Amino acid sequence: MKILSAKQIKQADKLTIEKQGISSTELMERAATLVFDEIHKRLQAAPIPVKIFCGIGNNGGDGLVVGRQLIEAGYDVTIYIVNYSDQRSPDFLVNYDRVKNLSKNWPVLLKADDDLPQIKYGDFVVDAIFGVGLNRPLPGWVAGLVKHINASGAFMLAIDMPSGLMADAAVENMESVIRASYTISFQVPKMAFYLPGTAPFVGDLQILDIGLDPEFIKDAPAAAELIGKAEARALYKPRQRFTHKGTYGHALIIGGSYGKIGSVCLTATAALRAGAGLVTVYAPKCGYDILQTALPEAMVITDLHNEILTNIEFDLDPDVIAFGVGVGTKEETVEAFEQLLKKYKKPMVIDADGLNIFSKNGDLLELLPEGSILTPHPKELERLIGPWKDDFEKLDKARAFTKKHKVILLIKGTYTFTVTPNDLFINTTGNPGMATAGSGDVLTGVLSALVAQGYEPLRATILGVYLHGKAGDIAAERFSYEGVVAGDIAKNTGAAIFDLFETQKTNYS
Ligand SMILES: NC(=O)C1=CN([C@@H]2O[C@H](COP(=O)(O)OP(=O)(O)OC[C@H]3O[C@@H](n4cnc5c(N)ncnc54)[C@H](OP(=O)(O)O)[C@@H]3O)[C@@H](O)[C@H]2O)[C@@H](O)CC1
Ligand SMILES: [K+]
């Protein structure tokens, strides 16, 4: 599913009106009626006080339509107009009159010096102050009102966007954004819904198809692509009969050190579970018995050193190398990694200490094979690309990094981002249970297995991240968030592949 910018959404709005021969008032009625339907479906005419805060633009217009329909359905509704400007939009005005005609009263007007209205825990608040039109910080008194609404503890439903959030820019003042319990957004998701600095304001998210021109949306260049089940399924390559283990590639997992052999165990387990034909682990000598006992399906080669890696030499031709989990950053290991980079030319998967080695030895990045996949969490990313002032700058810097080094950067988080010079993919699977030791080691294994099986690195990354998250979701259903350990994620990779073909809706559609 595509993420479009506020500007593109406005264009789609305009084009839809032209092509469908409808007025903007009718489009507003259509969109807001769908919001009313969602509210009515859930509230079932319950006698809960509904307080709707409307701006004076089209987001406010939506709020007025919802308000009118709730009044008609018999709800206890109070509509407040947050009168931050005299530039009321034409569709706001049409619906302002319609509310007056129905209820015989004008909505309550809120201005800069007015007292703040009472909002109680248990009220149902609809936020229609600003939508995608917000393009600068809120006026001070509106920011105060937002703070007051947030402090009420009421359930808050945001229409299109939580007010205070901009679709394509960072938030400067966290206190002046509605902390929505639930956001119903129109047609396409917005970038701010997925970035760590702004996503927490959105609450649960529902995207409603309001019938904007499908051709425009199909042709519009996406700011980013959201990866749900349908997108992941399209990337999956089914196995053919008359194949053998050689068909599915050989993954070489290089890593581990004394006390951290578990990391390579997890990576190798995940690589096997994600379908690599053969898996070999290259580890310090101390890992030999552990690996051979824990993982009979994997082969093991050992370093000359007992506790760390010092000379990475092997007599095989792997289809992919994963380097970095549990490996440490000792000088001898860095030296061994450099020698490896000098001779190995196929894409690699680099994680954990592999990334830390690059952070401290930037020149080694020049040796990294084109198309390699780097999998930093935010701290590792900062060490690689330097600090950023907000999520948008972070993405710009990440993009520049992938361009300079011809690599794929995967930024781990609640929503994991796959960054390339020209594209951005946002994963939708995963859960807080995956914030557990070794979860990243498992991801490295899944990615390596897919590359080994002949998936192009970008395809492997997008699909691998999706499957890893889904495996975590399946594990959490069984064990709870708290109870998930990384090994459960690895073991459920196969179940995640099965799930690609289950036909339930994804969580955002
Ligand atoms: N997409 C679709 O197809 C459909 C969209 N619909 C709805 O329309 C919504 C977008 O409506 P909108 O364009 O009127 O903008 P909205 O967010 O109401 O803001 C109003 C105006 O406020 C201004 N302004 C900005 N920042 C400001 C600030 N800090 N302080 C003061 N003023 C500020 C700015 O005007 P400016 O001053 O920049 O000229 C802006 O235009 C969208 O979210 C959805 O709910 C549906 O109805 C139908 C289908
Ligand atoms: K809003």
Side-chain angles (χ1 to χ4, degrees), residues 9-10 13 27-28 31 56-60 62 84-85 89 129-139 159-161 186 210 212:
I9 293 165
K10 288 226 154 126
D13 186 342
L27 182 58
M28 180 179 281
I56 50 73
N58 285 348
N59 195 246
D62 291 337
Y84 55 79
S85 147
S89 78
I129 307 173
F130 285 106
V132 289
L134 186 77
N135 52 28
R136 54 193 185 273
L138 300 188
I159 300 183
D160 207 17
M161 308 265 308
F186 296 138
I210 61 166
L212 294 187

Side-chain angles (χ1 to χ4, degrees), residues 16-17 36 127 144 169 194 214 266 309 356 397 446 465-466:
T16 303
I17 290 165
F36 162 77
D127 158 36
Y194 301 97
L266 287 165
L309 295 183
N356 293 329
K397 284 186 149 192
V446 174
V465 173
Y466 176 89

Side-chain angles (χ1 to χ4, degrees), residues 149-287:
I149 297 174
N150 281 341
S152 69
F155 184 93
M156 282 182 266
L157 171 80
I159 300 183
D160 207 17
M161 308 265 308
S163 296
L165 215 59
M166 284 185 258
D168 316 303
V171 167
E172 280 172 28
N173 182 356
M174 297 287 176
E175 294 211 322
S176 43
V177 185
I178 288 287
R179 287 197 170 269
S181 321
Y182 199 97
T183 297
I184 295 186
S185 199
F186 296 138
Q187 201 68 48
V188 286
K190 283 79 180 161
M191 195 66 191
F193 295 172
Y194 301 97
L195 295 166
T198 44
F201 294 100
V202 176
D204 290 331
L205 174 66
Q206 186 179 4
I207 307 288
L208 288 182
D209 182 348
I210 61 166
L212 294 187
D213 187 57
E215 247 171 83
F216 176 91
I217 293 171
K218 188 168 135 280
D219 295 342
E225 174 114 22
L226 216 53
I227 304 298
K229 190 181 286 188
E231 291 82 1
R233 190 170 46 228
L235 298 173
Y236 172 74
K237 298 184 189 179
R239 288 205 170 188
Q240 305 298 322
R241 294 179 73 200
F242 310 113
T243 54
H244 53 86
K245 66 185 178 214
T247 315
Y248 300 111
H250 191 165
L252 176 60
I253 317 291
I254 303 178
S257 54
Y258 184 80
K260 290 189 175 168
I261 297 302
S263 62
V264 267
C265 278
L266 287 165
T267 306
T269 306
L272 286 158
R273 292 281 179 186
L278 292 164
V279 174
T280 299
V281 180
Y282 192 103
K285 268 198 187 125
C286 68

Side-chain angles (χ1 to χ4, degrees), residues 250-252 314 316-321 344 346:
H250 191 165
L252 176 60
F314 45 85
L316 45 97
D317 182 22
D319 298 286
V320 65
I321 287 180
Y344 188 75
K346 294 180 204 164

